[in-house]
Amino acid sequence: MKILDKYLLKTFLTTFTTVFVILFFIFILQTVWLFISELAGKDLDLLMIIKFLAFSMPRIVPLVLPLSILLSSIMTFGNLAENYEFAAMKSSGISLQRAMRSLTVFIVLLSIVAFFFSNNVIPYAEYKFINFRKNIAQVKPALAITEGQFNDVGFYNIKVNKKSGAEGNTLTGITIHKKSKIGDGSKTVIKAKDGELISSEESSILQLVLNNGYYYEDIVPKKYEDRSKMPFAKSSFKKQIINIDLSELNNVDVNDESVANTNTMLTVNELNYTLDSLNKNMKTDIISFTENSNSRIAFPAKKQLIASAKSKPLPNNILSLFTNQQKSDILKIASSNVASTTYSIDTSKTDFFNKQKNINRHLLAYYDKFVIVFACFLMFFIGAPLGAIIRKGGLGLPIVFAVLIFITFHFINTFGKRIAQENGMTPFMGAWLSSIILTPLAVLLTYRATNDIGLINMDVILAPFQKVLKKIFPSRN
């Protein structure tokens, strides 16, 4: 390796390492901020908090790595251009492509590492993170209740408007749906103004003390015709205690790993296998629905119609072959068939749409593992020529350009994925849309930097105006 290559590689690696560490730390702080309400004051030991953060860190890399490459490329090549080192290289016959050669090899190696990291480390960390977070909520009951949404705790669905207190045990605005033990839905609703969670390490019973509330219970009459009246019982209370048995929840180990089926937890091979199964299941369901749709149709007096068809040609008005009573029965059944088939189609349409969304999510997870590889190349070939063009290093102008380009990349990427999930475009286009749009920018910047053309050629913009001005004000000799 020549001295120039060593120098460029050392300069780039120093900048890249510094930028990566700083950006990674910033994104870690963002993660802590997002989950601070779940971690702070919940009697979690330091080791559990460290594990929680460690399992959430790898998901940050696909965001930090391309941005770090982009910013360090602009800063490195901007410094070289600003200090006239590029001018010295060019005077010695060294082109921009030659200067980028050693760094291109490094980006290739980094992209390979990024792919294996995305394919192996991130799915494993996501697997551990989701299971660890779920099990913390089960071992620490206060964590199992999140503000503003229903939370499944034993035989109860609990919703609270606000949690307060040192450990989040004081609850305000409580709504509880008690699950039916026979599996026929929720028949009991309890609303309370406030309450408190009381638990003890020596007991497996969680006490929920409710204050100033109402108790509603649906009553199912024995006679079927009375059920449409929907009777219910209502009572009020000043104080009520609900005991929730946590013996099954507290037996859960925080290292238990029962959730293992989300698309973010799968490698490329596992995604291929899962996608094949999902597509086969969807095709089977579509064929089954098509075949069952015909079998649902019932037609009274079918034998009479067949016998009439054998004896003589069928008239234009087929209903004339039947009595008035049969006509009435046929029309009622036809109306019922239409309503039933329409309902079945609407239900199946929603079901198929959800299944297709699930397939799209798996496809997006599959393509994401390759997008990060291309994103490393893309950001390097945008940042390096851009730095050579603007001729500014340091943390001023390079940060502005890097943030603008990366926000554009990330926004288009997120936008494409959201549309692809809803079948607005193919998952391939949704995942690669940002790369497709920004690739011409990388080619253009590389071309302009190679040929010593500025970022914006003002002559091209001003030439039409100059021609107009010459026609209006012709020069006088």
Side-chain angles (χ1 to χ4, degrees):
M1 183 180 292
K2 295 185 178 181
I3 296 175
L4 176 63
D5 294 326
K6 291 182 179 179
Y7 174 71
L8 291 174
L9 190 59
K10 179 182 178 181
T11 305
F12 181 82
L13 283 177
T14 302
T15 308
F16 173 76
T17 304
T18 304
V19 169
F20 184 85
V21 171
I22 293 173
L23 291 176
F24 197 82
F25 180 73
I26 292 172
F27 278 88
I28 285 295
L29 290 179
Q30 182 191 26
T31 302
V32 173
W33 179 260
L34 288 174
F35 296 108
I36 190 68
S37 60
E38 297 187 21
L39 299 175
K42 299 300 190 302
D43 195 27
L44 298 177
D45 57 67
L46 182 62
L47 180 60
M48 293 180 72
I49 295 176
I50 293 174
K51 282 185 177 181
F52 187 90
L53 294 176
F55 293 148
S56 65
M57 286 180 184
R59 63 167 67 181
I60 301 172
V61 173
L63 287 174
V64 176
L65 185 59
L67 180 56
S68 300
I69 293 174
L70 176 62
L71 182 55
S72 55
S73 299
I74 297 176
M75 292 174 63
T76 300
F77 284 83
N79 276 324
L80 292 173
E82 187 178 14
N83 297 324
Y84 299 101
E85 291 176 278
F86 262 138
M89 292 180 195
K90 290 178 181 178
S91 64
S92 303
I94 300 174
S95 63
L96 177 64
Q97 288 89 341
R98 173 62 187 85
M100 293 170 60
R101 183 186 300 172
S102 59
L103 296 181
T104 303
V105 174
F106 171 74
I107 295 298
V108 170
L109 297 176
L110 186 63
S111 300
I112 295 173
V113 173
F115 172 77
F116 282 102
F117 187 88
S118 176
N119 189 48
N120 298 285
V121 178
I122 292 179
Y124 176 78
E126 193 73 11
Y127 171 72
K128 301 287 286 187
F129 177 77
I130 292 177
N131 283 282
F132 190 76
R133 188 181 177 192
K134 172 182 68 71
N135 295 330
I136 284 178
Q138 290 181 336
V139 174
K140 302 288 183 180
L143 279 176
I145 300 177
T146 304
E147 293 180 358
Q149 66 185 46
F150 279 99
N151 305 271
D152 191 2
V153 182
F155 285 101
Y156 300 89
N157 278 323
I158 304 174
K159 177 185 177 183
V160 299
N161 294 334
K162 186 178 180 181
K163 295 194 315 182
S164 57
E167 297 185 357
N169 290 341
T170 303
L171 312 177
T172 306
I174 305 169
T175 303
I176 301 174
H177 290 180
K178 185 178 180 181
K179 301 176 186 177
S180 174
K181 294 184 179 180
I182 60 176
D184 59 344
S186 177
K187 301 297 183 183
T188 303
V189 178
I190 305 171
K191 295 181 70 68
K193 184 177 180 181
D194 53 60
E196 182 182 6
L197 281 172
I198 301 176
S199 60
S200 173
E201 294 182 0
E202 290 78 20
S203 174
S204 62
I205 301 298
L206 173 68
Q207 284 191 336
L208 180 56
V209 181
L210 305 175
N211 303 317
N212 302 319
Y214 295 90
Y215 184 96
Y216 306 87
E217 183 176 6
D218 291 336
I219 299 174
V220 181
K222 294 182 179 179
K223 293 183 179 180
Y224 182 80
E225 55 271 18
D226 294 336
R227 295 183 181 180
S228 60
K229 299 178 182 178
M230 303 179 69
F232 69 95
K234 175 183 176 182
S235 62
S236 61
F237 58 84
K238 290 291 183 181
K239 182 177 180 179
Q240 182 173 342
I241 298 176
I242 297 177
N243 294 320
I244 303 174
D245 187 5
L246 296 177
S247 57
E248 294 183 2
L249 297 180
N250 287 333
N251 287 331
V252 177
D253 182 10
V254 293
N255 295 315
D256 176 52
E257 296 166 350
S258 58
V259 179
N261 58 351
T262 66
N263 50 6
T264 56
M265 298 180 184
L266 305 178
T267 63
V268 168
N269 292 332
E270 292 168 343
L271 283 168
N272 276 324
Y273 177 81
T274 305
L275 282 167
D276 184 61
S277 300
L278 291 174
N279 283 314
K280 285 182 179 179
N281 290 338
M282 187 168 180
K283 289 179 180 178
T284 302
D285 291 342
I286 292 174
I287 293 172
S288 176
F289 171 75
T290 304
E291 293 175 348
N292 292 335
S293 295
N294 295 328
S295 63
R296 292 194 192 99
I297 299 175
F299 184 67
K302 183 178 180 181
K303 294 181 179 179
Q304 179 181 345
L305 182 61
I306 295 174
S308 176
K310 290 180 178 179
S311 61
K312 57 183 179 180
L314 292 175
N316 292 331
N317 185 9
I318 298 179
L319 287 176
S320 63
L321 299 174
F322 305 100
T323 64
N324 290 333
Q325 182 61 40
Q326 289 176 327
K327 290 178 182 179
S328 177
D329 294 340
I330 290 172
L331 293 176
K332 287 179 181 179
I333 292 176
S335 177
S336 176
N337 285 338
V338 169
S340 175
T341 304
T342 302
Y343 176 77
S344 177
I345 290 173
D346 291 339
T347 304
S348 299
K349 182 181 178 181
T350 303
D351 185 44
F352 292 146
F353 179 75
N354 291 332
K355 289 183 178 180
Q356 186 61 51
K357 285 179 65 176
N358 188 32
I359 292 174
N360 291 344
R361 284 193 292 267
H362 282 77
L363 283 170
L364 289 171
Y366 178 84
Y367 293 130
D368 274 346
K369 300 183 187 303
F370 300 94
V371 169
I372 188 176
V373 176
F374 186 76
C376 293
F377 281 100
L378 182 63
M379 294 302 159
F380 176 71
F381 282 99
I382 289 177
L386 183 60
I389 291 172
I390 63 175
R391 299 179 182 180
K392 289 290 182 180
L395 296 175
L397 193 59
I399 289 182
V400 176
F401 277 104
V403 170
L404 288 176
I405 293 170
F406 184 76
I407 287 176
T408 303
F409 177 83
H410 186 63
F411 173 78
I412 297 173
N413 190 39
T414 304
F415 178 74
K417 287 181 181 179
R418 292 289 175 86
I419 294 180
Q421 285 182 5
E422 302 297 329
N423 284 329
M425 65 173 63
T426 62
F428 178 84
M429 281 298 298
W432 288 94
L433 184 63
S434 55
S435 300
I436 293 172
I437 291 176
L438 291 182
T439 296
L441 176 62
V443 175
L444 177 64
L445 290 175
T446 304
Y447 171 78
R448 298 183 76 87
T450 303
N451 293 278
D452 289 328
I453 304 174
L455 187 61
I456 299 175
N457 191 348
M458 297 302 297
D459 292 336
V460 175
I461 299 175
L462 296 177
F465 296 99
Q466 291 174 351
K467 290 181 180 179
V468 173
L469 290 174
K470 284 181 180 180
K471 289 181 180 180
I472 298 175
F473 306 104
S475 58
R476 297 178 181 178
N477 295 325

